[in-house]
C-alpha cells in the first residue's frame, strides 16, 4: 500500500463498518464519464457533505491493488450491470491536499515537495521507468502509461486546501501543476478519469483557475449526481430516528 498510489481499500472498509449511507451509485455516474471528454469531474460543496467519504469509496472501487468485491456486496452499485467492468482495474493516484498542507505548511517549495514525493513513490513502484533530467511529474506518468498500457484514475480530495491556506506564489505554482496534469495534450492519454472535491469552486479563482477542463458539480448545480453528494431528507430522517435527534433542528443546522 502506498501513500499516494494504490492506497488500498482500508479507508472505505472502515466506513462500511460504521453507519455508511449508501451513495455507491455515484460510481455508475463516474463510470459513465470514463474515457470520454467529460472524464474530469469536480464536486464542490461545504464541509460535512460526504466529499471525502465519496473519494474513499471511489478509491476502493478502482484501485487495482486490492479486492473490493465483498465491500460493495449489498450496496446499490453491486446490482448495476457494469459493476464489474471497472472494479479494481486501475492504478489510482490518490492525493489528499490537506495532508501536504499539514506536512509542509507555508514552505515556499510546497508544490515542489508535492511533485517530488509523488515522483519518488512512482519510481519506487515502477522500477523499469527512468526520469530524464528535465522530466516532470507528467512526463513520468506518460512514461509509466507507455510501459504498462494502463491509464490512471486520479482522485484529489480537498483540491483547494492549498489555495485556501497557502501563499499567492504557491497557489500560482499549484494551479500550473493542475494545468500540466489535466489540460495538456497528454492528459487524456494518462488519465481514464479524474475526480476532485473541494469547498471553494474552481471558478472562484478567476484568472488563476485555468483548469476549466473540469466539469464542476456545485452546491447550486449538481445534477445528475446531487443525491449522491449530500443527504436527502429521507436519509436524514432515518438517521435522526436512529440516533434520537430532532429532525427539525438537524435540518435547520445543515440549511
Amino acid at each position: 500500500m502506498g501513500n499516494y498510489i494504490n492506497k488500498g481499500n482500508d479507508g472505505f472498509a472502515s466506513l462500511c463498518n460504521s453507519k455508511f449511507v449508501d451513495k455507491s451509485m455515484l460510481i455508475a455516474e463516474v463510470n459513465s464519464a470514463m474515457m470520454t471528454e467529460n472524464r474530469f469531474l469536480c464536486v464542490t460543496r461545504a464541509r460535512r457533505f460526504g466529499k471525502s467519504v465519496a473519494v474513499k469509496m471511489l478509491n476502493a472501487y478502482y484501485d487495482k491493488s486490492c479486492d473490493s468485491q465483498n465491500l460493495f456486496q449489498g450496496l446499490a452499485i453491486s446490482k448495476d450491470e457494469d459493476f464489474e467492468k471497472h472494479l479494481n482495474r486501475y492504478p489510482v493516484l490518490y492525493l489528499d491536499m490537506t495532508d501536504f498542507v499539514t506536512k509542509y505548511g507555508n514552505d515556499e517549495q510546497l508544490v515542489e515537495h508535492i511533485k517530488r514525493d509523488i515522483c519518488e513513490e512512482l519510481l519506487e513502484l515502477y522500477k523499469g521507468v527512468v526520469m530524464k533530467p528535465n522530466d516532470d511529474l507528467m512526463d513520468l506518468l506518460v512514461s509509466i502509461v507507455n510501459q504498462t498500457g494502463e491509464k490512471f484514475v486520479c482522485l484529489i480530495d480537498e483540491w483547494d486546501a492549498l489555495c485556501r491556506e497557502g501563499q499567492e506564489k504557491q497557489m500560482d505554482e499549484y494551479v500550473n501543476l493542475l494545468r500540466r496534469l489535466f489540460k495538456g495534450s497528454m492528459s487524456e492519454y494518462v488519465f481514464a478519469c479524474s475526480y476532485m472535491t473541494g469547498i471553494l469552486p474552481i471558478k472562484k479563482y478567476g484568472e488563476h483557475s485555468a483548469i476549466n477542463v473540469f466539469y464542476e458539480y456545485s452546491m447550486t448545480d449538481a445534477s445528475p449526481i446531487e443525491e449522491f453528494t449530500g443527504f436527502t431528507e429521507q436519509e436524514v430522517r432515518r438517521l435522526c430516528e436512529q440516533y434520537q435527534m430532532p429532525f427539525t433542528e438537524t435540518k435547520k443546522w445543515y440549511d
Side-chain angles (χ1 to χ4, degrees), residues 71-90:
L71 282 178
F72 287 98
Q73 289 306 312
L75 298 181
I77 188 62
S78 66
K79 301 177 179 64
D80 187 83
E81 61 180 6
D82 289 330
F83 170 61
E84 295 189 5
K85 182 177 180 180
H86 300 286
L87 178 65
N88 300 134
R89 299 293 177 88
Y90 298 88

Side-chain angles (χ1 to χ4, degrees), residues 81-135:
E81 61 180 6
D82 289 330
F83 170 61
E84 295 189 5
K85 182 177 180 180
H86 300 286
L87 178 65
N88 300 134
R89 299 293 177 88
Y90 298 88
V92 176
L93 178 61
Y94 181 168
L95 309 176
D96 184 340
M97 300 313 300
T98 58
D99 286 346
F100 290 112
V101 172
T102 302
K103 181 177 180 180
Y104 295 114
N106 279 325
D107 190 320
E108 290 187 357
Q109 299 298 311
L110 172 59
V111 177
E112 290 302 315
H113 293 321
I114 292 172
K115 292 187 286 188
R116 181 204 64 204
D117 288 354
I118 298 169
C119 286
E120 286 181 352
E121 186 166 311
L122 285 167
L123 288 169
E124 179 65 24
L125 182 62
Y126 295 93
K127 300 289 188 182
V129 176
V130 178
M131 285 189 76
K132 299 175 184 177
N134 293 324
D135 281 355

Side-chain angles (χ1 to χ4, degrees), residues 4-70:
Y4 315 113
I5 300 96
N6 299 338
K7 288 171 67 74
N9 58 20
D10 286 352
F12 186 59
S14 297
L15 292 168
C16 290
N17 290 331
S18 58
K19 301 298 180 184
F20 175 67
V21 178
D22 187 355
K23 299 292 182 179
S24 61
M25 286 306 292
L26 172 65
I27 294 170
E29 294 294 336
V30 178
N31 282 347
S32 70
M34 278 278 187
M35 312 291 187
T36 73
E37 62 181 6
N38 301 317
R39 71 185 70 191
F40 302 112
L41 313 171
C42 183
V43 174
T44 57
R45 55 203 50 244
R47 299 182 190 276
R48 298 291 176 254
F49 274 81
K51 299 188 301 296
S52 296
V53 170
V55 174
K56 290 177 181 178
M57 178 181 69
L58 291 170
N59 181 72
Y61 177 76
Y62 291 117
D63 188 343
K64 64 174 291 185
S65 72
C66 55
D67 182 354
S68 300
Q69 181 97 27
N70 290 337

Side-chain angles (χ1 to χ4, degrees), residues 195-207:
Y195 181 96
M196 299 198 308
T197 75
I199 296 172
L200 298 176
I202 295 173
K203 299 179 182 66
K204 176 77 173 181
Y205 298 100
E207 70 273 13

